[in-house]
Amino acid sequence: SQQGEEDPQALSIQEGENATMNCSYKTSINNLQWYRQNSGRGLVHLILIRSNEREKHSGRLRVTLDTSKKSSSLLITASRAADTASYFCALDSGQNFVFGPGTRLSVLP
Amino acid sequence: EAQVTQNPRYLITVTGKKLTVTCSQNMNHEYMSWYRQDPGLGLRQIYYSMNVEVTDKGDVPEGYKVSRKEKRNFPLILESPSPNQTSLYFCASSPYRGLAYNEQFFGPGTRLTVL
């Protein structure tokens, strides 16, 4: 069955550094989405990339998608303490969404 | 303000006592979904609905019921809650555009404890 897998599970960096997290999946998708969750709160949508797109930018976020490798990466540039959160990829297979277990990002001041 | 609301936000109950968690969205979205979130397991989908009167099981539907009688509401029903249903629950909605859904909008979550 479809499943998203993020790696690393946890990432700790200094403020100003870049953070990269990856998502791999198994079957074909319509689009892939990235979400952020601050501790115990609802998820917030960050960016959506469609299956026919390879790269997308939104502010300090850059997402790539490689459908041949069934993988995506999320890059956060010039990180800030406020970026500390959990990040999830979500796979849209046409009828439902499947989330990965997430990457816990800590940005140290 | 466009939003997804859930009630209650916190609930402590006892095994076997039926409960309903309400979810409502004011964005006229076709798609609605319920997730539970447990430590180390991420979000797991319980049920989803692609439109009024259309519901489908997600990955972990056992012990839950849903209904979609109106477009804006998607209540989650636990007929006989058990301690293993202690979790953080999220409702979400999404618009359908073209051949695919788009970003999901999440409610603030309901923290349920079953004793």
Side-chain angles (χ1 to χ4, degrees), chain B residues 15-35:
Chain B
T15 299
K17 186 175 180 182
K18 181 179 178 180
L19 66 92
T20 299
V21 184
T22 64
C23 173
S24 183
Q25 50 97 2
N26 61 2
M27 296 169 280
N28 201 37
H29 287 169
E30 292 81 7
Y31 183 97
M32 296 187 75
S33 181
W34 276 102
Y35 299 90

Side-chain angles (χ1 to χ4, degrees), chain A residues 70-90:
Chain A
K70 291 187 171 57
S71 68
S72 173
S73 67
L74 170 67
L75 168 67
I76 304 173
T77 60
S79 63
R80 306 166 181 167
D83 294 327
T84 294
S86 292
Y87 292 81
F88 297 89
C89 67

Side-chain angles (χ1 to χ4, degrees), chain A residues 23 25 29-34 47-49 65 72 89-91:
Chain A
C23 173
Y25 57 95
I29 56 173
N30 288 333
N31 63 61
L32 186 147
Q33 304 174 25
W34 285 91
I47 197 164
L48 180 154
I49 186 164
L65 179 64
S72 173
C89 67
L91 313 170

Side-chain angles (χ1 to χ4, degrees), chain A residues 30-31 33 35 37 40-45 48 50 88 90 92 94-102, chain B residues 31 35 37 40-43 45 48 50 58-59 88 90 94 99-104 106-108 111:
Chain A
N30 288 333
N31 63 61
Q33 304 174 25
Y35 290 81
Q37 184 184 32
R41 297 192 177 185
L43 279 72
V44 174
H45 179 261
L48 180 154
R50 302 196 185 282
F88 297 89
D92 173 8
Q95 285 201 319
N96 62 342
F97 293 89
V98 177
F99 282 81
Chain B
Y31 183 97
Y35 299 90
Q37 185 176 30
L41 296 177
L43 273 81
Q45 191 173 47
Y48 63 97
M50 297 173 76
D59 294 324
L88 180 58
F90 289 103
S94 176
L99 297 175
Y101 291 91
N102 284 264
E103 68 273 18
Q104 291 190 84
F106 279 80
R111 189 167 292 280

Side-chain angles (χ1 to χ4, degrees), chain A residues 2-75:
Chain A
Q2 184 67 286
Q3 189 173 1
E5 293 284 344
E6 290 102 339
D7 87 276
Q9 291 185 354
L11 180 60
S12 187
I13 59 174
Q14 295 292 135
E15 217 167 14
E17 294 180 339
N18 295 342
T20 299
M21 50 205 88
N22 305 295
C23 173
S24 59
Y25 57 95
K26 294 180 180 176
T27 61
S28 63
I29 56 173
N30 288 333
N31 63 61
L32 186 147
Q33 304 174 25
W34 285 91
Y35 290 81
R36 183 186 73 229
Q37 184 184 32
N38 292 94
S39 182
R41 297 192 177 185
L43 279 72
V44 174
H45 179 261
L46 295 176
I47 197 164
L48 180 154
I49 186 164
R50 302 196 185 282
S51 58
N52 60 355
E53 298 175 314
R54 292 298 168 257
E55 188 170 312
K56 240 180 154 175
H57 295 82
S58 176
R60 294 184 295 112
L61 305 180
R62 173 178 168 253
V63 168
T64 61
L65 179 64
D66 187 334
T67 53
S68 66
K69 295 181 179 178
K70 291 187 171 57
S71 68
S72 173
S73 67
L74 170 67
L75 168 67

